[in-house]
Amino acid sequence: MREVVKTGLILFIFTLAAGLILGLVYSITSPQIANAELNFKLSSIKEVMTDPVTGELLIPQKDIPKTLEELNQKVFMSDDSGVLYTSSRYGGKVHSPAYLFTSRDGKKIYVLEGSAIGYGGSVVCVAAFVKEEDGFKLNALRVTSYSQETPGLGAKIGEKEVMERFYPVPPEALEKGLKVNKDAGVVPVEDPEKMKYLREHEGVIQTSDIMTGATLTPRAVVNTINTMYEFLRGEVNE
Amino acid sequence: MSELRNFTKGFVKENPTFVQALGMCPTLATTTSAVNGLGMGLATLSVLTLSNIVVSLIRKFVPEKIRIPIYIVVIASFVTIVDLVMHAFTYQLWRTLGLFIPLIVVNCIILGRAEAFASKNGVFASFLDGLGMGLGFTASLVLLGSVRELLGSGTIFGLPVWGKAFNVFAMILPPGAYIALGMLAGLFSFIGIKRRERQKAKSASEKVKA
């Protein structure tokens, strides 16, 4: 009996010491972690509000949020559940909160975060949509979390060259609903102009040539974009 | 001399991956490219060295019956600390390697060295053992990652070596991991056999001379 108590006590002391040390490390690192996460979010938001053709910011430099307070001022819709909209058609989600900015020429820019299921889990994207006369235009997009995708296959979605295949998309193509070229039955083309034409007129996103063997991951991104568009058309369009 | 051997035995003779066949789960899962292998190897190296030092320090206070749970507590604490510190101070690196860090807890090299070496030896010897084994593991992962990346994507550390036409897609997938690991383990055991033969021949010729 004494032996059992003694052993239990020793184990207790070790776990207690480990718990205290971990608590200390956590309290030292948690503000830094929150800061690093925020900076990453702010830089993604800035990137999606940059014109992919000219490389210029759509909004004045001074309007780019630099702190959490500044970012919170741009919230136009939020929900405590963390989800603003779920699409039954595409299986994607729009996360809370959604942000609204105003461009240099007075257009509304909606910055949304959303996700859909890829090969291994959630693939999260941040995207900016510009309100044009004839509807919403996808300006740019960043895939911000894809940790469950296979390295060398689906994880290529995080490369700039791959992400650039998804934008810009005019309202006309978004209205039709985006598709990856495999689902649309389109054979990969090599000419970049043709690729652009297919994306901007037919809503066909070609990735099968640069991420061979991974269909589920780009499909998740396309589903997220479609869900965001559905959300904007249904909940925001007045 | 024996201290130097504590350090170098992990490189080839007792190489954790190819000779001891320890830590197969992270080895197979993370070696799709050389960079991933390097990252996983370095993260393991730091946890292994730190846990070896602590296990050696506390070896006299740990009762025989509960040594395994205590070693696990020590290892899991270090893994969590490495994860938190990397998340806070090296965010970009953490985003690339974040997935692998929790995997270190289940890496049996660390528990294996704690049990087989650090719990029976002094702090300095345990430190050298951890460092040597960690470097051996890192080198093995980089080697395996380079082979798979070269055959699968035609690059090493992202630098192109040859055209896309030579790529064997399966090398990035799990079957490629098993094939490459088997070939390299075979190579290491071939080196071991050759070494022993040479030593035998040497001692035989010495006997003849005598």
Side-chain angles (χ1 to χ4, degrees):
Chain A
M1 186 63 197
R2 267 195 65 201
E3 184 65 24
V4 174
V5 174
K6 195 182 152 201
T7 327
L9 208 64
I10 291 173
L11 190 57
F12 173 69
I13 291 166
F14 273 104
T15 47
L16 186 71
L20 287 175
I21 292 167
L22 283 182
L24 185 72
V25 173
Y26 178 75
S27 61
I28 294 169
T29 52
S30 64
Q32 289 288 340
I33 290 174
N35 198 19
E37 292 284 353
L38 177 70
N39 281 335
F40 179 70
K41 192 172 183 181
L42 292 176
S43 75
S44 318
I45 290 176
K46 187 178 169 186
E47 279 176 30
V48 294
M49 285 198 293
T50 306
D51 190 306
V53 182
T54 62
E56 280 176 20
L57 275 174
L58 296 177
I59 65 169
Q61 180 75 37
K62 66 172 174 53
D63 288 355
I64 298 279
K66 284 168 209 74
T67 60
L68 188 60
E69 287 78 46
E70 283 177 34
L71 182 64
N72 283 341
Q73 283 170 11
K74 301 290 181 188
V75 173
F76 87 99
M77 200 189 262
S78 67
D79 192 280
D80 288 338
S81 70
V83 177
L84 287 176
Y85 179 76
T86 307
S87 167
S88 51
R89 185 165 166 210
Y90 297 109
K93 282 180 201 157
V94 176
H95 299 177
S96 167
Y99 303 99
L100 177 61
F101 293 84
T102 311
S103 75
R104 288 173 200 269
D105 42 7
K107 289 177 187 161
K108 284 179 172 173
I109 304 173
Y110 295 91
V111 176
L112 308 176
E113 186 190 79
S115 64
I117 303 299
Y119 180 70
S122 265
V123 177
V124 184
C125 308
V126 171
F129 291 84
V130 181
K131 176 85 174 77
E132 302 278 358
E133 276 167 19
D134 52 343
F136 296 94
K137 176 191 158 203
L138 171 66
N139 177 62
L141 154 142
R142 284 289 172 270
V143 182
T144 52
S145 172
Y146 49 91
S147 62
Q148 303 294 314
E149 302 308 295
T150 321
L153 283 171
K156 280 198 176 159
I157 200 76
E159 290 174 10
K160 208 158 182 239
E161 188 198 358
V162 176
M163 291 193 286
E164 281 172 350
R165 293 286 180 93
F166 289 88
Y167 59 80
V169 188
E172 171 197 353
L174 283 173
E175 191 60 48
K176 285 182 186 166
L178 297 188
K179 276 190 176 122
V180 292
N181 65 313
K182 203 176 161 186
D183 293 343
V186 175
V187 182
V189 292
E190 278 191 24
D191 180 16
E193 283 303 314
K194 230 182 232 173
M195 221 184 278
K196 192 178 160 208
Y197 179 88
L198 280 171
R199 182 180 69 226
E200 294 189 349
H201 293 85
E202 307 294 331
V204 174
I205 305 290
Q206 178 178 323
T207 54
S208 67
D209 55 330
I210 45 174
M211 38 191 307
T212 326
T215 319
L216 294 172
T217 316
R219 195 183 282 154
V221 175
V222 160
N223 281 338
T224 309
I225 299 171
N226 287 337
T227 304
M228 287 171 169
Y229 184 72
E230 221 177 63
F231 164 76
L232 289 172
R233 285 299 305 259
E235 311 269 318
V236 182
N237 213 6
E238 297 119 20
Chain B
M1 188 60 204
S2 78
E3 270 166 10
L4 187 70
R5 208 168 294 146
N6 279 338
F7 179 61
T8 57
K9 65 178 187 277
F11 298 169
V12 178
K13 197 170 164 243
E14 290 182 32
N15 184 290
T17 309
F18 299 122
V19 178
Q20 299 187 64
L22 289 173
M24 287 294 109
C25 161
T27 304
L28 294 170
T30 64
T31 52
T32 49
S33 69
V35 172
N36 285 352
L38 182 68
M40 182 66 191
L42 291 179
T44 309
L45 169 75
S46 53
V47 173
L48 179 59
T49 313
L50 290 169
S51 76
N52 256 14
I53 293 171
V54 171
V55 167
S56 172
L57 277 172
I58 60 172
R59 69 185 189 279
K60 294 199 175 113
F61 313 107
V62 176
E64 178 77 13
K65 275 182 200 153
I66 52 163
R67 63 185 198 286
I68 302 288
I70 287 180
Y71 298 160
I72 291 284
V73 167
V74 171
I75 294 165
S77 304
F78 276 121
V79 171
T80 315
I81 290 171
V82 167
D83 187 44
L84 286 171
V85 169
M86 280 182 73
H87 193 167
F89 298 103
T90 55
Y91 188 73
Q92 280 304 323
L93 190 66
W94 179 83
R95 279 184 62 81
T96 331
L97 301 176
L99 175 67
F100 307 144
I101 297 166
L103 269 178
I104 302 172
V105 181
V106 292
N107 190 333
C108 50
I109 295 175
I110 298 174
L111 190 62
R113 295 324 290 174
E115 170 76 5
F117 196 91
S119 61
K120 300 183 183 87
N121 289 281
V123 176
F124 186 61
S126 302
F127 164 74
L128 286 180
D129 176 78
L131 202 63
M133 286 288 164
L135 285 173
F137 183 63
T138 308
S140 310
L141 292 199
V142 171
L143 179 65
L144 193 54
S146 305
V147 169
R148 288 180 66 194
E149 190 184 339
L150 180 67
L151 297 177
S153 320
T155 58
I156 291 182
F157 282 105
L159 301 169
V161 177
W162 56 50
K164 274 185 181 173
F166 294 108
N167 294 353
V168 184
F169 186 52
M171 290 310 286
I172 304 175
L173 300 174
Y178 284 104
I179 294 169
L181 180 71
M183 296 283 183
L184 288 170
L187 180 70
F188 268 72
S189 100
F190 178 74
I191 294 171
I193 292 168
K194 281 283 157 202
R195 265 191 182 175
R196 254 170 279 144
E197 274 176 5
R198 218 177 305 143
Q199 265 170 358
K200 229 183 249 172
K202 213 174 160 189
S203 58
S205 70
E206 271 166 9
K207 252 180 217 166
V208 171
K209 267 184 206 167

